[in-house]
C-alpha cells in the first residue's frame, strides 16, 4: 500500500490510515524477502525513508528491533504538532479527518512520538531547515527523543535545503552520511 507504481488505488490505500496496514505490509515484505532470498542476512538489515517513508521509519522505530540501523529523512514524528506547522494544512485535514483540535484522537493514533520508550535502533536523522512540509522541529524532536532513550543517533542538518536535498554539494554530503551510517551498522 502507498506505492506509486501499482495504480491509483494502491497509492491511496494509506490515506487516512498511515499506521494501520502499511507497517505490516513492510514487515511482511521483509519476511518474504528473507524467505525467498537466502543471501539476505537478517542480522544486517537497515531501513531508510524520506517524507512518508521517513514517517514510516519513525513508526517502525517504536515497533520493531529487526533492523540494525534506520535513516529517517524529513519524516513526521508528532502528527498533531505537524498539523499546526506544515505548509500543507489541507493535506493533514484530509488525512486525519479535520484539524488537530477537531479530531485529536486521529492525529494521536498515527503519531510515532507515542512509542519513544521502544526506540532502540541506531538512527540517522536528516532534516532540512527550509522544509515547510515536515518542519525542522520534527527532526530535532526525533533526535532528542533518541538521545533521551540513549540510542546511538546522529542529526544531519541542512540549513539551506527543503523537503529534498537538491544542491549538488549538499547531495554529496547526504550520500556520504547515509552510506557511512549504513556501512558502520551493517558491515560484517
Amino acid at each position: 500500500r502507498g506505492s506509486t507504481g501499482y495504480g491509483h488505488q494502491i497509492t491511496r490505500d494509506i490515506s487516512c490510515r498511515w499506521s494501520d496496514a502499511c507497517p505490516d505490509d513492510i514487515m511482511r515484505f521483509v519476511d518474504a524477502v528473507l524467505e525467498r532470498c537466502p543471501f539476505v542476512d537478517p542480522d544486517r538489515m537497515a531501513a531508510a525513508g524520506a517524507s512518508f517513508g521517513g514517517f514510516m521509519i519513525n513508526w517502525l522505530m517504536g515497533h520493531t528491533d529487526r533492523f540494525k540501523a534506520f535513516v529517517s529523512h524529513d519524516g513526521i514524528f508528532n502528527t498533531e504538532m505537524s498539523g499546526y506547522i506544515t505548509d500543507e494544512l489541507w493535506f493533514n485535514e484530509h488525512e486525519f479527518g479535520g484539524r488537530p483540535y477537531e479530531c485529536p484522537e486521529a492525529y494521536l493514533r498515527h503519531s510515532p512520538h507515542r512509542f519513544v520508550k521502544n526506540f532502540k535502533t541506531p538512527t540517522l536523522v536528516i532534516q532540512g531547515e527550509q522544509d515547510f512540509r515536515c518542519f525542522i522541529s520534527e527532526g530535532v524532536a526525533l533526535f532528542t527523543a533518541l538521545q533521551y532513550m540513549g540510542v546511538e543517533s546522529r542529526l544531519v542538518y541542512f540549513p539551506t535545503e527543503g523537503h529534498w536535498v537538491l544542491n549538488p554539494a549538499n547531495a554529496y554530503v547526504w550520500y556520504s552520511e547515509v552510506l557511512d551510517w549504513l556501512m558502520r551498522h551493517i558491515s560484517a
Side-chain angles (χ1 to χ4, degrees):
R1 283 170 261 258
S3 172
T4 58
Y6 296 97
H8 186 69
Q9 185 56 49
I10 294 292
T11 302
R12 297 304 304 152
D13 275 349
I14 61 172
S15 185
C16 305
R17 303 181 305 169
W18 286 18
S19 63
D20 293 343
C22 199
D24 293 335
D25 288 349
I26 291 169
M27 296 314 295
R28 278 196 303 275
F29 175 77
V30 168
D31 290 338
V33 167
L34 291 173
E35 182 180 314
R36 294 178 187 150
C37 305
F39 53 86
V40 175
D41 185 345
D43 295 324
R44 294 176 55 205
M45 296 188 306
S51 195
F52 181 79
F55 163 82
M56 261 299 98
I57 294 301
N58 299 345
W59 185 266
L60 290 175
M61 267 185 239
H63 293 85
T64 184
D65 60 359
R66 292 180 62 187
F67 298 95
K68 296 301 175 197
F70 285 127
V71 176
S72 175
H73 174 108
D74 287 346
I76 299 297
F77 175 63
N78 183 324
T79 54
E80 184 178 24
M81 285 310 301
S82 176
Y84 286 107
I85 60 178
T86 183
D87 67 341
E88 289 187 329
L89 296 173
W90 61 271
F91 180 77
N92 282 7
E93 289 175 21
H94 173 268
E95 289 298 304
F96 298 109
R99 296 173 178 151
Y101 60 87
E102 295 171 333
C103 49
E105 62 286 337
Y107 283 81
L108 189 59
R109 188 171 132 237
H110 298 289
S111 193
H113 86 279
R114 296 184 305 128
F115 303 97
V116 168
K117 287 186 178 181
N118 300 335
F119 287 9
K120 296 179 184 108
T121 305
T123 303
L124 175 63
V125 180
I126 303 172
Q127 187 69 48
E129 173 74 35
Q130 303 303 313
D131 186 350
F132 303 118
R133 187 152 307 137
C134 299
F135 246 73
I136 182 70
S137 56
E138 295 295 314
V140 171
L142 172 61
F143 177 70
T144 300
L146 289 158
Q147 292 289 293
Y148 277 155
M149 296 309 298
V151 175
E152 181 186 354
S153 48
R154 178 171 170 79
L155 174 64
V156 177
Y157 163 73
F158 291 99
T160 60
E161 297 291 354
H163 199 54
W164 306 112
V165 176
L166 301 176
N167 176 289
N170 289 340
Y172 177 82
V173 171
W174 188 95
Y175 280 102
S176 296
E177 290 283 347
V178 169
L179 292 174
D180 287 349
W181 186 261
L182 295 175
M183 294 311 295
R184 185 167 0 130
H185 291 91
I186 62 171
S187 291

